[in-house]
Amino acid sequence: DDELPNDPNLRSDIEGTSSEDADTPHMDSEYQAIVASLHEKHTPEEVDAILATVDREREEVIRIMETKGGDLDDVVKAVRRKTYEEKDRVMAEIEKEMMGQKGITEGEIVSSYEDEKKS
C-alpha cells in the first residue's frame, strides 16, 4: 500500500504552525493530500525534487521576510521568479550540451530542412 498515512500528528513543517493554531490540522491534511497527489503523478525522484524546491523557496521567503521584510506576496513572487530563471538557465545548458553532443547547431537543422525543400 503506497498511500501516505493521514495522521494528524504528521506535521507539514509549515513555519508558524503550533498546537494552538486552529488551522494546523487542516493545513497538515491539505499538505498530505498535495504530497499524495504528487506521488500519483510523478516518480519518487521528481517528488523529492519538487518538495526540495518548495522547502528551499519556503526557507528563502522566511529569510527575506525576517531580514528585509516587505509584502509577503511580492517576496513569494520574487523567489518563484528566481526559481524559474534558474530552471531556464539549467535547461538552456542541457540543451546546449545535447546539441554539442550531436554535433549539430540550430542553423544546420534549418539549412538541411531548406535543402530538402529545394529537392
Short mmCIF file of all heavy atoms in Angstrom, two decimals, residues 23-86:
data_model
loop_
_atom_site.label_atom_id
_atom_site.label_comp_id
_atom_site.label_asym_id
_atom_site.label_seq_id
_atom_site.Cartn_x
_atom_site.Cartn_y
_atom_site.Cartn_z
N ASP A 23 -5.98 26.18 12.52
CA ASP A 23 -5.88 25.77 11.12
C ASP A 23 -4.83 24.69 10.89
O ASP A 23 -4.75 24.12 9.81
CB ASP A 23 -5.52 26.98 10.24
CG ASP A 23 -6.68 27.95 10.10
OD1 ASP A 23 -7.83 27.50 10.24
OD2 ASP A 23 -6.42 29.13 9.84
N THR A 24 -4.00 24.39 11.87
CA THR A 24 -2.91 23.44 11.68
C THR A 24 -3.38 22.08 11.21
O THR A 24 -2.84 21.57 10.22
CB THR A 24 -2.07 23.31 12.97
OG1 THR A 24 -1.51 24.59 13.26
CG2 THR A 24 -0.96 22.30 12.80
N PRO A 25 -4.37 21.44 11.84
CA PRO A 25 -4.80 20.13 11.31
C PRO A 25 -5.28 20.21 9.86
O PRO A 25 -4.98 19.32 9.06
CB PRO A 25 -5.93 19.71 12.25
CG PRO A 25 -5.67 20.47 13.50
CD PRO A 25 -5.05 21.79 13.06
N HIS A 26 -5.98 21.28 9.52
CA HIS A 26 -6.45 21.44 8.14
C HIS A 26 -5.27 21.62 7.20
O HIS A 26 -5.22 20.98 6.13
CB HIS A 26 -7.40 22.65 8.05
CG HIS A 26 -7.81 22.97 6.65
ND1 HIS A 26 -8.69 22.18 5.95
CD2 HIS A 26 -7.43 23.96 5.81
CE1 HIS A 26 -8.86 22.68 4.75
NE2 HIS A 26 -8.11 23.76 4.64
N MET A 27 -4.30 22.44 7.58
CA MET A 27 -3.13 22.66 6.73
C MET A 27 -2.34 21.38 6.56
O MET A 27 -1.86 21.07 5.47
CB MET A 27 -2.25 23.77 7.31
CG MET A 27 -2.89 25.14 7.22
SD MET A 27 -1.93 26.40 8.06
CE MET A 27 -0.52 26.51 6.99
N ASP A 28 -2.19 20.63 7.63
CA ASP A 28 -1.44 19.38 7.56
C ASP A 28 -2.14 18.37 6.66
O ASP A 28 -1.49 17.69 5.88
CB ASP A 28 -1.22 18.80 8.95
CG ASP A 28 -0.22 19.60 9.77
OD1 ASP A 28 0.68 20.23 9.16
OD2 ASP A 28 -0.33 19.61 11.00
N SER A 29 -3.47 18.29 6.76
CA SER A 29 -4.17 17.34 5.90
C SER A 29 -4.13 17.79 4.44
O SER A 29 -4.02 16.97 3.54
CB SER A 29 -5.61 17.12 6.37
OG SER A 29 -6.37 18.31 6.23
N GLU A 30 -4.18 19.10 4.21
CA GLU A 30 -4.06 19.62 2.84
C GLU A 30 -2.67 19.31 2.28
O GLU A 30 -2.53 18.90 1.14
CB GLU A 30 -4.30 21.13 2.80
CG GLU A 30 -5.74 21.52 3.02
CD GLU A 30 -6.64 21.08 1.90
OE1 GLU A 30 -6.24 21.18 0.71
OE2 GLU A 30 -7.75 20.61 2.19
N TYR A 31 -1.65 19.50 3.10
CA TYR A 31 -0.27 19.20 2.69
C TYR A 31 -0.15 17.72 2.34
O TYR A 31 0.43 17.36 1.32
CB TYR A 31 0.69 19.59 3.81
CG TYR A 31 2.14 19.33 3.48
CD1 TYR A 31 2.88 20.25 2.75
CD2 TYR A 31 2.78 18.17 3.91
CE1 TYR A 31 4.22 20.03 2.45
CE2 TYR A 31 4.11 17.94 3.62
CZ TYR A 31 4.82 18.86 2.89
OH TYR A 31 6.13 18.63 2.59
N GLN A 32 -0.70 16.86 3.18
CA GLN A 32 -0.65 15.43 2.92
C GLN A 32 -1.36 15.08 1.62
O GLN A 32 -0.88 14.24 0.85
CB GLN A 32 -1.27 14.65 4.07
CG GLN A 32 -0.44 14.68 5.33
CD GLN A 32 -1.14 14.01 6.50
OE1 GLN A 32 -2.26 13.52 6.38
NE2 GLN A 32 -0.47 13.97 7.64
N ALA A 33 -2.49 15.73 1.35
CA ALA A 33 -3.22 15.47 0.11
C ALA A 33 -2.40 15.90 -1.11
O ALA A 33 -2.37 15.20 -2.13
CB ALA A 33 -4.57 16.20 0.14
N ILE A 34 -1.72 17.03 -0.99
CA ILE A 34 -0.90 17.51 -2.09
C ILE A 34 0.26 16.55 -2.35
O ILE A 34 0.54 16.19 -3.49
CB ILE A 34 -0.38 18.94 -1.79
CG1 ILE A 34 -1.54 19.93 -1.84
CG2 ILE A 34 0.73 19.33 -2.76
CD1 ILE A 34 -1.21 21.30 -1.27
N VAL A 35 0.92 16.11 -1.29
CA VAL A 35 2.04 15.18 -1.45
C VAL A 35 1.55 13.85 -2.04
O VAL A 35 2.20 13.29 -2.92
CB VAL A 35 2.78 14.97 -0.10
CG1 VAL A 35 3.81 13.85 -0.21
CG2 VAL A 35 3.46 16.27 0.34
N ALA A 36 0.41 13.38 -1.58
CA ALA A 36 -0.16 12.14 -2.14
C ALA A 36 -0.44 12.30 -3.62
O ALA A 36 -0.16 11.40 -4.42
CB ALA A 36 -1.42 11.75 -1.37
N SER A 37 -0.97 13.45 -4.01
CA SER A 37 -1.25 13.72 -5.42
C SER A 37 0.04 13.74 -6.24
O SER A 37 0.09 13.23 -7.36
CB SER A 37 -1.99 15.05 -5.55
OG SER A 37 -2.19 15.38 -6.90
N LEU A 38 1.09 14.33 -5.67
CA LEU A 38 2.38 14.34 -6.36
C LEU A 38 2.87 12.92 -6.59
O LEU A 38 3.37 12.60 -7.68
CB LEU A 38 3.41 15.12 -5.55
CG LEU A 38 3.28 16.62 -5.51
CD1 LEU A 38 4.27 17.23 -4.52
CD2 LEU A 38 3.47 17.23 -6.89
N HIS A 39 2.73 12.06 -5.59
CA HIS A 39 3.18 10.68 -5.71
C HIS A 39 2.39 9.92 -6.77
O HIS A 39 2.93 9.00 -7.39
CB HIS A 39 3.08 9.96 -4.36
CG HIS A 39 4.21 10.27 -3.43
ND1 HIS A 39 5.48 9.76 -3.59
CD2 HIS A 39 4.26 11.06 -2.33
CE1 HIS A 39 6.26 10.21 -2.65
NE2 HIS A 39 5.55 11.00 -1.85
N GLU A 40 1.14 10.30 -7.00
CA GLU A 40 0.34 9.64 -8.02
C GLU A 40 0.79 9.99 -9.43
O GLU A 40 0.65 9.19 -10.34
CB GLU A 40 -1.14 10.05 -7.87
CG GLU A 40 -1.81 9.50 -6.65
CD GLU A 40 -3.21 10.06 -6.46
OE1 GLU A 40 -3.73 10.76 -7.37
OE2 GLU A 40 -3.80 9.80 -5.39
N LYS A 41 1.33 11.20 -9.61
CA LYS A 41 1.60 11.70 -10.95
C LYS A 41 3.08 11.80 -11.30
O LYS A 41 3.42 12.10 -12.44
CB LYS A 41 0.95 13.07 -11.11
CG LYS A 41 -0.55 13.00 -10.98
CD LYS A 41 -1.18 14.37 -11.07
CE LYS A 41 -2.68 14.23 -11.07
NZ LYS A 41 -3.34 14.64 -9.91
N HIS A 42 3.95 11.59 -10.30
CA HIS A 42 5.38 11.78 -10.55
C HIS A 42 6.19 10.63 -9.97
O HIS A 42 5.73 9.93 -9.07
CB HIS A 42 5.86 13.09 -9.90
CG HIS A 42 5.18 14.31 -10.45
ND1 HIS A 42 5.53 14.89 -11.64
CD2 HIS A 42 4.15 15.06 -9.98
CE1 HIS A 42 4.78 15.93 -11.88
NE2 HIS A 42 3.92 16.05 -10.88
N THR A 43 7.41 10.49 -10.47
CA THR A 43 8.32 9.48 -9.93
C THR A 43 8.79 9.93 -8.55
O THR A 43 8.72 11.12 -8.23
CB THR A 43 9.55 9.31 -10.84
OG1 THR A 43 10.33 10.51 -10.79
CG2 THR A 43 9.16 8.95 -12.27
N PRO A 44 9.29 8.99 -7.74
CA PRO A 44 9.81 9.39 -6.42
C PRO A 44 10.91 10.46 -6.52
O PRO A 44 10.96 11.37 -5.69
CB PRO A 44 10.36 8.09 -5.85
CG PRO A 44 9.56 7.02 -6.52
CD PRO A 44 9.29 7.54 -7.90
N GLU A 45 11.74 10.38 -7.54
CA GLU A 45 12.80 11.37 -7.72
C GLU A 45 12.22 12.74 -8.02
O GLU A 45 12.71 13.76 -7.51
CB GLU A 45 13.76 10.95 -8.85
CG GLU A 45 14.56 9.70 -8.55
CD GLU A 45 13.78 8.40 -8.81
OE1 GLU A 45 12.68 8.43 -9.40
OE2 GLU A 45 14.28 7.35 -8.40
N GLU A 46 11.18 12.78 -8.86
CA GLU A 46 10.53 14.05 -9.18
C GLU A 46 9.87 14.64 -7.94
O GLU A 46 9.97 15.85 -7.70
CB GLU A 46 9.50 13.87 -10.30
CG GLU A 46 10.12 13.58 -11.65
CD GLU A 46 9.09 13.16 -12.69
OE1 GLU A 46 8.04 12.59 -12.33
OE2 GLU A 46 9.35 13.40 -13.88
N VAL A 47 9.21 13.79 -7.16
CA VAL A 47 8.56 14.26 -5.93
C VAL A 47 9.60 14.83 -4.98
O VAL A 47 9.40 15.92 -4.42
CB VAL A 47 7.75 13.13 -5.25
CG1 VAL A 47 7.24 13.57 -3.88
CG2 VAL A 47 6.58 12.70 -6.13
N ASP A 48 10.71 14.14 -4.83
CA ASP A 48 11.78 14.64 -3.96
C ASP A 48 12.28 16.00 -4.44
O ASP A 48 12.51 16.90 -3.64
CB ASP A 48 12.95 13.65 -3.91
CG ASP A 48 12.62 12.40 -3.12
OD1 ASP A 48 11.61 12.38 -2.38
OD2 ASP A 48 13.38 11.41 -3.25
N ALA A 49 12.45 16.15 -5.75
CA ALA A 49 12.94 17.41 -6.31
C ALA A 49 11.92 18.53 -6.09
O ALA A 49 12.29 19.65 -5.73
CB ALA A 49 13.25 17.25 -7.79
N ILE A 50 10.65 18.23 -6.31
CA ILE A 50 9.59 19.23 -6.11
C ILE A 50 9.55 19.67 -4.66
O ILE A 50 9.52 20.87 -4.35
CB ILE A 50 8.23 18.68 -6.57
CG1 ILE A 50 8.20 18.51 -8.09
CG2 ILE A 50 7.09 19.59 -6.10
CD1 ILE A 50 7.05 17.68 -8.61
N LEU A 51 9.55 18.70 -3.74
CA LEU A 51 9.47 19.03 -2.32
C LEU A 51 10.73 19.78 -1.86
O LEU A 51 10.64 20.68 -1.02
CB LEU A 51 9.24 17.77 -1.48
CG LEU A 51 7.89 17.09 -1.71
CD1 LEU A 51 7.79 15.81 -0.88
CD2 LEU A 51 6.74 18.03 -1.39
N ALA A 52 11.87 19.43 -2.41
CA ALA A 52 13.11 20.14 -2.06
C ALA A 52 13.04 21.59 -2.54
O ALA A 52 13.48 22.51 -1.84
CB ALA A 52 14.32 19.43 -2.65
N THR A 53 12.49 21.80 -3.73
CA THR A 53 12.34 23.15 -4.25
C THR A 53 11.38 23.96 -3.39
O THR A 53 11.66 25.11 -3.04
CB THR A 53 11.83 23.12 -5.71
OG1 THR A 53 12.80 22.44 -6.52
CG2 THR A 53 11.60 24.52 -6.26
N VAL A 54 10.27 23.35 -3.03
CA VAL A 54 9.29 24.03 -2.16
C VAL A 54 9.93 24.39 -0.83
O VAL A 54 9.78 25.51 -0.33
CB VAL A 54 8.03 23.16 -1.96
CG1 VAL A 54 7.13 23.73 -0.87
CG2 VAL A 54 7.27 23.02 -3.28
N ASP A 55 10.68 23.45 -0.26
CA ASP A 55 11.33 23.70 1.03
C ASP A 55 12.37 24.82 0.91
O ASP A 55 12.43 25.72 1.75
CB ASP A 55 11.99 22.42 1.54
CG ASP A 55 12.46 22.56 2.97
OD1 ASP A 55 11.67 23.05 3.81
OD2 ASP A 55 13.62 22.20 3.25
N ARG A 56 13.16 24.79 -0.16
CA ARG A 56 14.17 25.83 -0.37
C ARG A 56 13.51 27.20 -0.54
O ARG A 56 13.93 28.19 0.06
CB ARG A 56 15.03 25.53 -1.60
CG ARG A 56 16.14 26.56 -1.81
CD ARG A 56 16.76 26.48 -3.20
NE ARG A 56 15.82 26.48 -4.29
CZ ARG A 56 15.19 27.58 -4.75
NH1 ARG A 56 15.37 28.75 -4.19
NH2 ARG A 56 14.37 27.49 -5.77
N GLU A 57 12.43 27.25 -1.33
CA GLU A 57 11.72 28.51 -1.53
C GLU A 57 11.12 29.01 -0.22
O GLU A 57 11.18 30.21 0.07
CB GLU A 57 10.63 28.36 -2.59
CG GLU A 57 11.17 28.26 -4.00
CD GLU A 57 10.06 28.16 -5.04
OE1 GLU A 57 8.89 27.90 -4.67
OE2 GLU A 57 10.36 28.35 -6.23
N ARG A 58 10.54 28.12 0.55
CA ARG A 58 9.94 28.49 1.83
C ARG A 58 10.99 29.09 2.75
O ARG A 58 10.79 30.15 3.35
CB ARG A 58 9.29 27.27 2.49
CG ARG A 58 8.64 27.58 3.83
CD ARG A 58 7.98 26.34 4.42
NE ARG A 58 8.90 25.27 4.67
CZ ARG A 58 9.62 25.14 5.79
NH1 ARG A 58 9.51 26.03 6.75
NH2 ARG A 58 10.43 24.12 5.95
N GLU A 59 12.15 28.44 2.83
CA GLU A 59 13.23 28.94 3.68
C GLU A 59 13.72 30.31 3.21
O GLU A 59 14.01 31.19 4.01
CB GLU A 59 14.39 27.94 3.71
CG GLU A 59 14.07 26.65 4.44
CD GLU A 59 13.77 26.86 5.92
OE1 GLU A 59 14.41 27.71 6.56
OE2 GLU A 59 12.86 26.18 6.42
N GLU A 60 13.81 30.48 1.89
CA GLU A 60 14.26 31.76 1.35
C GLU A 60 13.25 32.87 1.63
O GLU A 60 13.63 33.98 1.98
CB GLU A 60 14.52 31.64 -0.15
CG GLU A 60 15.19 32.86 -0.73
CD GLU A 60 15.67 32.67 -2.16
OE1 GLU A 60 15.66 31.53 -2.67
OE2 GLU A 60 16.09 33.68 -2.75
N VAL A 61 11.97 32.56 1.49
CA VAL A 61 10.93 33.55 1.80
C VAL A 61 11.01 33.95 3.27
O VAL A 61 10.97 35.14 3.61
CB VAL A 61 9.52 33.01 1.45
CG1 VAL A 61 8.42 33.88 2.05
CG2 VAL A 61 9.35 32.92 -0.06
N ILE A 62 11.15 32.97 4.15
CA ILE A 62 11.24 33.25 5.58
C ILE A 62 12.46 34.13 5.87
O ILE A 62 12.36 35.13 6.60
CB ILE A 62 11.30 31.94 6.40
CG1 ILE A 62 9.96 31.23 6.33
CG2 ILE A 62 11.70 32.22 7.85
CD1 ILE A 62 9.99 29.80 6.85
N ARG A 63 13.59 33.78 5.27
CA ARG A 63 14.82 34.55 5.50
C ARG A 63 14.65 36.00 5.04
O ARG A 63 14.99 36.94 5.76
CB ARG A 63 16.00 33.90 4.77
CG ARG A 63 17.33 34.61 5.01
CD ARG A 63 18.46 34.01 4.19
NE ARG A 63 18.19 33.89 2.76
CZ ARG A 63 18.19 34.90 1.89
NH1 ARG A 63 18.45 36.12 2.29
NH2 ARG A 63 17.95 34.68 0.61
N ILE A 64 14.07 36.19 3.86
CA ILE A 64 13.88 37.54 3.34
C ILE A 64 12.90 38.32 4.22
O ILE A 64 13.14 39.49 4.55
CB ILE A 64 13.39 37.50 1.87
CG1 ILE A 64 14.51 36.99 0.96
CG2 ILE A 64 12.91 38.89 1.42
CD1 ILE A 64 14.06 36.67 -0.45
N MET A 65 11.82 37.68 4.61
CA MET A 65 10.83 38.37 5.45
C MET A 65 11.43 38.76 6.80
O MET A 65 11.14 39.83 7.32
CB MET A 65 9.59 37.49 5.65
CG MET A 65 8.77 37.28 4.40
SD MET A 65 8.15 38.79 3.64
CE MET A 65 6.99 39.35 4.89
N GLU A 66 12.29 37.91 7.36
CA GLU A 66 12.91 38.22 8.64
C GLU A 66 13.99 39.29 8.54
O GLU A 66 14.16 40.08 9.46
CB GLU A 66 13.51 36.95 9.26
CG GLU A 66 12.48 35.98 9.76
CD GLU A 66 13.07 34.68 10.30
OE1 GLU A 66 14.27 34.41 10.10
OE2 GLU A 66 12.30 33.95 10.94
N THR A 67 14.70 39.33 7.41
CA THR A 67 15.81 40.28 7.30
C THR A 67 15.41 41.59 6.63
O THR A 67 15.85 42.65 7.04
CB THR A 67 17.00 39.67 6.52
OG1 THR A 67 16.56 39.29 5.22
CG2 THR A 67 17.57 38.48 7.26
N LYS A 68 14.58 41.52 5.60
CA LYS A 68 14.24 42.72 4.83
C LYS A 68 12.79 43.14 5.00
O LYS A 68 12.45 44.29 4.74
CB LYS A 68 14.52 42.49 3.34
CG LYS A 68 15.97 42.23 3.02
CD LYS A 68 16.16 41.98 1.55
CE LYS A 68 17.61 41.63 1.25
NZ LYS A 68 17.80 41.27 -0.16
N GLY A 69 11.93 42.17 5.34
CA GLY A 69 10.50 42.48 5.42
C GLY A 69 9.92 42.64 4.04
O GLY A 69 10.47 42.18 3.05
N GLY A 70 8.80 43.31 3.97
CA GLY A 70 8.14 43.55 2.69
C GLY A 70 6.82 42.83 2.61
O GLY A 70 6.37 42.17 3.56
N ASP A 71 6.18 42.97 1.47
CA ASP A 71 4.91 42.32 1.22
C ASP A 71 5.14 40.84 0.92
O ASP A 71 5.94 40.50 0.04
CB ASP A 71 4.21 43.00 0.04
CG ASP A 71 2.85 42.39 -0.25
OD1 ASP A 71 1.91 42.66 0.53
OD2 ASP A 71 2.74 41.63 -1.24
N LEU A 72 4.47 39.97 1.66
CA LEU A 72 4.68 38.53 1.50
C LEU A 72 4.44 38.07 0.07
O LEU A 72 5.23 37.30 -0.48
CB LEU A 72 3.78 37.75 2.47
CG LEU A 72 3.90 36.23 2.41
CD1 LEU A 72 5.31 35.79 2.76
CD2 LEU A 72 2.89 35.59 3.35
N ASP A 73 3.37 38.55 -0.56
CA ASP A 73 3.09 38.14 -1.95
C ASP A 73 4.21 38.54 -2.89
O ASP A 73 4.59 37.77 -3.79
CB ASP A 73 1.76 38.74 -2.43
CG ASP A 73 0.55 38.12 -1.76
OD1 ASP A 73 0.67 36.98 -1.26
OD2 ASP A 73 -0.50 38.78 -1.73
N ASP A 74 4.77 39.74 -2.69
CA ASP A 74 5.87 40.20 -3.54
C ASP A 74 7.12 39.35 -3.32
O ASP A 74 7.83 39.03 -4.28
CB ASP A 74 6.18 41.67 -3.27
CG ASP A 74 5.08 42.61 -3.74
OD1 ASP A 74 4.25 42.19 -4.58
OD2 ASP A 74 5.05 43.76 -3.25
N VAL A 75 7.40 39.01 -2.08
CA VAL A 75 8.57 38.19 -1.77
C VAL A 75 8.41 36.81 -2.39
O VAL A 75 9.34 36.29 -3.02
CB VAL A 75 8.81 38.12 -0.25
CG1 VAL A 75 9.91 37.11 0.08
CG2 VAL A 75 9.16 39.49 0.31
N VAL A 76 7.25 36.21 -2.23
CA VAL A 76 6.99 34.88 -2.80
C VAL A 76 7.15 34.93 -4.32
O VAL A 76 7.79 34.06 -4.93
CB VAL A 76 5.59 34.36 -2.41
CG1 VAL A 76 5.21 33.13 -3.22
CG2 VAL A 76 5.53 34.07 -0.92
N LYS A 77 6.61 35.96 -4.94
CA LYS A 77 6.70 36.10 -6.40
C LYS A 77 8.15 36.23 -6.84
O LYS A 77 8.57 35.62 -7.82
CB LYS A 77 5.90 37.33 -6.86
CG LYS A 77 5.75 37.45 -8.36
CD LYS A 77 5.02 38.71 -8.78
CE LYS A 77 3.61 38.72 -8.24
NZ LYS A 77 2.85 39.90 -8.69
N ALA A 78 8.96 37.01 -6.11
CA ALA A 78 10.37 37.20 -6.46
C ALA A 78 11.14 35.89 -6.30
O ALA A 78 11.98 35.55 -7.15
CB ALA A 78 10.98 38.29 -5.59
N VAL A 79 10.88 35.16 -5.23
CA VAL A 79 11.57 33.88 -5.01
C VAL A 79 11.18 32.88 -6.09
O VAL A 79 12.03 32.17 -6.63
CB VAL A 79 11.27 33.34 -3.59
CG1 VAL A 79 11.75 31.91 -3.43
CG2 VAL A 79 11.90 34.25 -2.53
N ARG A 80 9.91 32.83 -6.44
CA ARG A 80 9.46 31.91 -7.50
C ARG A 80 10.07 32.28 -8.84
O ARG A 80 10.51 31.42 -9.60
CB ARG A 80 7.93 31.94 -7.57
CG ARG A 80 7.28 31.09 -8.66
CD ARG A 80 7.66 29.61 -8.62
NE ARG A 80 7.62 28.99 -7.35
CZ ARG A 80 6.62 28.25 -6.88
NH1 ARG A 80 5.55 28.06 -7.61
NH2 ARG A 80 6.70 27.69 -5.70
N ARG A 81 10.13 33.57 -9.14
CA ARG A 81 10.74 34.03 -10.39
C ARG A 81 12.20 33.60 -10.46
O ARG A 81 12.69 33.13 -11.48
CB ARG A 81 10.61 35.56 -10.53
CG ARG A 81 11.17 36.10 -11.83
CD ARG A 81 10.97 37.61 -12.01
NE ARG A 81 11.07 38.33 -10.76
CZ ARG A 81 10.07 39.06 -10.23
NH1 ARG A 81 8.94 39.17 -10.84
NH2 ARG A 81 10.23 39.69 -9.09
N LYS A 82 12.92 33.71 -9.33
CA LYS A 82 14.32 33.29 -9.26
C LYS A 82 14.44 31.79 -9.55
O LYS A 82 15.34 31.36 -10.28
CB LYS A 82 14.87 33.61 -7.87
CG LYS A 82 16.32 33.28 -7.69
CD LYS A 82 16.76 33.69 -6.29
CE LYS A 82 18.09 33.09 -5.92
NZ LYS A 82 18.47 33.38 -4.54
N THR A 83 13.50 30.99 -9.03
CA THR A 83 13.50 29.55 -9.29
C THR A 83 13.30 29.28 -10.78
O THR A 83 14.01 28.46 -11.37
CB THR A 83 12.39 28.85 -8.47
OG1 THR A 83 12.67 29.01 -7.09
CG2 THR A 83 12.28 27.37 -8.82
N TYR A 84 12.34 29.96 -11.40
CA TYR A 84 12.09 29.76 -12.83
C TYR A 84 13.28 30.19 -13.67
O TYR A 84 13.62 29.53 -14.67
CB TYR A 84 10.83 30.49 -13.28
CG TYR A 84 9.57 29.80 -12.88
CD1 TYR A 84 8.54 30.49 -12.26
CD2 TYR A 84 9.37 28.44 -13.11
CE1 TYR A 84 7.37 29.86 -11.88
CE2 TYR A 84 8.22 27.80 -12.74
CZ TYR A 84 7.21 28.51 -12.13
OH TYR A 84 6.06 27.88 -11.76
N GLU A 85 13.93 31.30 -13.29
CA GLU A 85 15.10 31.75 -14.04
C GLU A 85 16.23 30.71 -13.95
O GLU A 85 16.90 30.43 -14.94
CB GLU A 85 15.58 33.10 -13.52
CG GLU A 85 14.65 34.24 -13.89
CD GLU A 85 14.95 35.55 -13.17
OE1 GLU A 85 15.87 35.58 -12.31
OE2 GLU A 85 14.26 36.53 -13.47
N GLU A 86 16.42 30.14 -12.78
CA GLU A 86 17.45 29.11 -12.60
C GLU A 86 17.09 27.86 -13.42
O GLU A 86 17.96 27.26 -14.07
CB GLU A 86 17.61 28.75 -11.12
CG GLU A 86 18.60 27.66 -10.85
CD GLU A 86 20.04 28.00 -11.21
OE1 GLU A 86 20.34 29.18 -11.48
OE2 GLU A 86 20.87 27.07 -11.23
#
